[in-house]
Amino acid sequence: MATADLTVIGLGRSDPSASRYIAAIQRKLGEQERVKFVMHAMGTSLEGETADILALVGELHAVPFDLGLPRVYTVLKLDERRDKPQTLADKVASVQARLAAGDES
C-alpha cells in the first residue's frame, strides 16, 4: 500500500483561477475505483497500490491537456511502506496520538 500527494497545475490559462481544471481532475478521480483520494486545499491525497497510483497520475496529468492547455506541471510525492500497511488515516492518527499524549520525542 502506498500513499501520495498530487498537485497538477495547468499552465497557459487565460484566467488565473485553476478551479475548472481541478474540478475536471476530481471528476476523473471519481470515475475510478482503483485509488482512494481526498482533495485538500493544495492538491489531492491518494491511497492505493503503487502501480495504480502511478498509472492514475499519468491519466490525471493529461486532463489539462485534454482541456486545451499547452503545458502541465505535475508534482507527485509518493510514500510506500513495505514493513506494514499504512493508510492516509493511519498517518494522521499517529501524529494526533503523539499530540494528545504530549509526546515531543
Side-chain angles (χ1 to χ4, degrees), residues 23-88:
I25 288 167
Q26 291 299 311
R27 277 189 215 98
K28 186 140 186 104
L29 279 162
E31 294 169 355
Q32 59 83 41
E33 297 180 359
R34 300 171 293 182
V35 175
K36 293 180 184 178
F37 64 96
V38 178
M39 182 179 70
H40 55 84
M42 299 297 291
T44 302
S45 295
L46 306 172
E47 177 183 298
E49 297 301 321
T50 300
D52 291 335
I53 290 173
L54 293 173
L56 181 60
V57 168
E59 295 170 24
L60 299 175
H61 178 80
V63 169
F65 286 124
D66 294 342
L67 294 173
L69 290 183
R71 186 173 181 184
V72 179
Y73 181 79
T74 295
V75 178
L76 173 66
K77 294 188 288 182
L78 181 68
D79 181 15
E80 180 179 10
R81 285 194 72 163
R82 294 190 176 175
D83 61 329
K84 69 176 189 175
Q86 185 180 48
T87 66
L88 292 168

Side-chain angles (χ1 to χ4, degrees), residues 2-24:
T3 57
D5 190 61
L6 177 69
T7 303
V8 179
I9 304 163
L11 302 173
R13 303 183 309 262
S14 59
D15 180 347
S17 174
S19 62
R20 172 181 179 226
Y21 304 96
I22 295 167

